[in-house]
Amino acid sequence: GESVGLHLPTLSVQEGDNSIINCAYSNSASDYFIWYKQESGKGPQFIIDIRSNMDKRQGQRVTVLLNKTVKHLSLQIAATQPGDSAVYFCAETLGFQKLVFGTGTRLLVSP
Amino acid sequence: DAGVTQSPTHLIKTRGQQVTLRCSPISGHKSVSWYQQVLGQGPQFIFQYYEKEERGRGNFPDRFSARQFPNYSSELNVNALLLGDSALYLCASPPASGVTDTQYFGPGTRLTVL
């Protein structure tokens, strides 16, 4: 299928490693943040979200950290698997659900 | 439960033509949003509709228009197509209106303008 992003920042890891993907957001008033995974030729897939009144939220193999002081989000993926290879986007929103997406990071997981 | 569905999957048009893309939100839910994703970039917000009313519009020209039907499905129309309109057009809806801000996306329509 087509590549989602040809010139995105790329993170290359080995299978089993932990991955950390970073994102800077733009609006200090944003109150809700989401991480999406996008595979080639597909729509973004929800991974995990966090509200601005939280610093950390954990899911299955994933953790999101929010640092409002520096407007920074990170996504941590534990025990990264080849199926995690994709482009990852952070998104921020305020109010009525318009999402503003970050640049995206391509994660490459080698066996 | 069906997720967000979109049609067609792929579309090829020529400059100056008009196109209509279709979206059905998560069953029973009243809000849809449209996004444009140009290759290599994150999705950009175009429109949001809730209960058949426009609730938000992104920075897109008037060539872009949309509407929502009584069954909450939606159409995105683009007139006078330009080469730069080539993109993946995504439709999104929340899983439960008013419960969460999370947007769930459909598979997209890949529009190619020649």
Side-chain angles (χ1 to χ4, degrees):
Chain A
E2 285 186 58
S3 175
V4 169
L6 300 179
H7 303 291
L8 295 170
T10 299
L11 175 65
S12 296
V13 301
Q14 295 282 327
E15 182 178 1
D17 287 352
N18 296 331
S19 302
I20 300 176
I21 300 172
N22 296 304
C23 174
Y25 64 90
S26 58
N27 186 352
S28 58
S30 290
D31 58 4
Y32 182 67
F33 305 88
I34 310 169
W35 279 99
Y36 288 95
K37 171 186 179 183
Q38 190 172 27
E39 297 173 291
S40 183
K42 298 183 178 179
Q45 175 189 354
F46 171 85
I47 301 173
I48 191 168
D49 57 3
I50 188 168
R51 294 208 174 270
S52 59
N53 61 355
M54 301 172 69
D55 298 321
K56 178 179 179 179
R57 190 168 188 217
Q58 289 185 289
Q60 199 167 29
R61 279 203 310 119
V62 294
T63 300
V64 55
L65 299 178
L66 174 62
N67 185 332
K68 294 181 288 294
T69 302
V70 295
K71 294 192 290 185
H72 183 268
L73 270 173
S74 67
L75 176 70
Q76 301 177 0
I77 305 173
T80 314
Q81 302 166 1
D84 295 326
S85 294
V87 176
Y88 289 80
F89 291 98
C90 68
E92 60 183 299
T93 188
L94 171 65
F96 61 83
Q97 302 181 357
K98 166 189 169 181
L99 291 171
V100 177
F101 284 80
T103 307
T105 297
R106 178 184 304 281
L107 177 65
L108 295 176
V109 184
S110 41
Chain B
D1 237 2
V4 179
T5 58
Q6 293 186 244
S7 64
T9 306
H10 294 86
L11 208 48
I12 298 174
K13 293 285 189 179
T14 57
R15 282 178 294 176
Q17 286 189 310
Q18 175 265 341
V19 68
T20 298
L21 312 180
R22 295 176 177 83
C23 169
S24 292
I26 292 170
S27 178
H29 296 292
K30 303 176 181 178
S31 176
V32 292
S33 297
W34 286 96
Y35 291 79
Q36 180 197 64
Q37 187 176 24
V38 174
L39 199 62
Q41 298 180 17
Q44 298 286 316
F45 174 75
I46 310 175
F47 287 110
Q48 187 200 33
Y49 276 77
Y50 179 76
E51 286 270 27
K52 296 171 286 180
E53 291 190 2
E54 182 183 301
R55 289 295 186 91
R57 171 187 280 259
N59 188 23
F60 281 81
D62 291 344
R63 299 185 296 109
F64 288 76
S65 63
R67 55 180 176 169
Q68 187 176 29
F69 298 99
N71 67 353
Y72 304 116
S73 67
S74 178
E75 288 183 349
L76 175 70
N77 296 284
V78 187
N79 293 324
L81 284 166
L82 304 174
L83 296 179
D85 295 330
S86 295
L88 182 67
Y89 287 85
L90 296 160
C91 178
S93 79
S97 180
V99 171
T100 176
D101 294 329
T102 301
Q103 296 268 337
Y104 286 79
F105 284 84
T109 294
R110 171 67 63 187
L111 172 64
T112 301
V113 182
L114 302 176

